[in-house]
Structures are given as C-alpha cells and as structure tokens.
Amino acid sequence: MAIKVRFFASLREQQPDGLSQIEAEGVLTVAQVWERATSTPLMPENVLCSVNLEHREPGEPVSDGDEVAFFPPVTGG
C-alpha cells in the first residue's frame, strides 16, 4: 500500500519531480512521511502540511492511500 506525496514551490525544486510515492507500512504521521520522502530526518518547523487537501500538523496520523502535501511558509504584505 502507498501514500502519495507532493511538494510545492521551493520544496518542489529540491525534489526531482515534485511528486513521490512511499510505502505506507510503518508510516504513522505526517512528519514520518516527510522523513521517508526526503531522506531528511527532521522536517523544518515552518513547513505547512496537508493530508487529502486539509491542513494538518506534523504529528497527525496518515493512512494508506492518503495524499500528503508539503508547502513552504507563505508570506505577504
């Protein structure tokens, strides 16, 4: 089973294709999805996350078949 992972804006530039798929086995939280998809042990604190198009915090659970997306922080004036 798998989880679809998407990266946007500057985070996408750091990933080869901006899209990844990881095996769901053993993945429990959004932060763990980040770790597996990026091979980076810690997700930066300012990254925004969503699961199935709904905002989520890094410690929240994910399930098989979910789509997890990561966005850089947004600033504006």
Side-chain angles (χ1 to χ4, degrees), residues 17-47:
D17 61 3
L19 174 64
S20 181
Q21 188 164 313
I22 63 168
E23 290 300 314
E25 184 177 329
V27 175
L28 303 174
T29 67
V30 172
Q32 290 172 317
V33 170
W34 171 273
E35 291 172 14
R36 289 219 185 149
T38 65
S39 299
T40 304
L42 296 175
M43 184 172 73
E45 289 183 29
N46 58 353
V47 170

Side-chain angles (χ1 to χ4, degrees), residues 2-70:
I3 294 172
K4 185 186 286 186
V5 185
R6 294 184 179 271
F7 299 92
F8 292 90
S10 61
L11 296 176
R12 183 178 180 158
E13 295 169 7
Q14 299 170 17
Q15 302 300 319
D17 61 3
L19 174 64
S20 181
Q21 188 164 313
I22 63 168
E23 290 300 314
E25 184 177 329
V27 175
L28 303 174
T29 67
V30 172
Q32 290 172 317
V33 170
W34 171 273
E35 291 172 14
R36 289 219 185 149
T38 65
S39 299
T40 304
L42 296 175
M43 184 172 73
E45 289 183 29
N46 58 353
V47 170
L48 303 174
C49 315
S50 74
V51 176
N52 300 325
L53 304 175
E54 294 185 17
H55 174 75
R56 294 288 187 255
E57 296 296 324
E60 293 191 54
V62 295
S63 300
D64 177 42
D66 283 348
E67 177 183 84
V68 179
F70 298 100

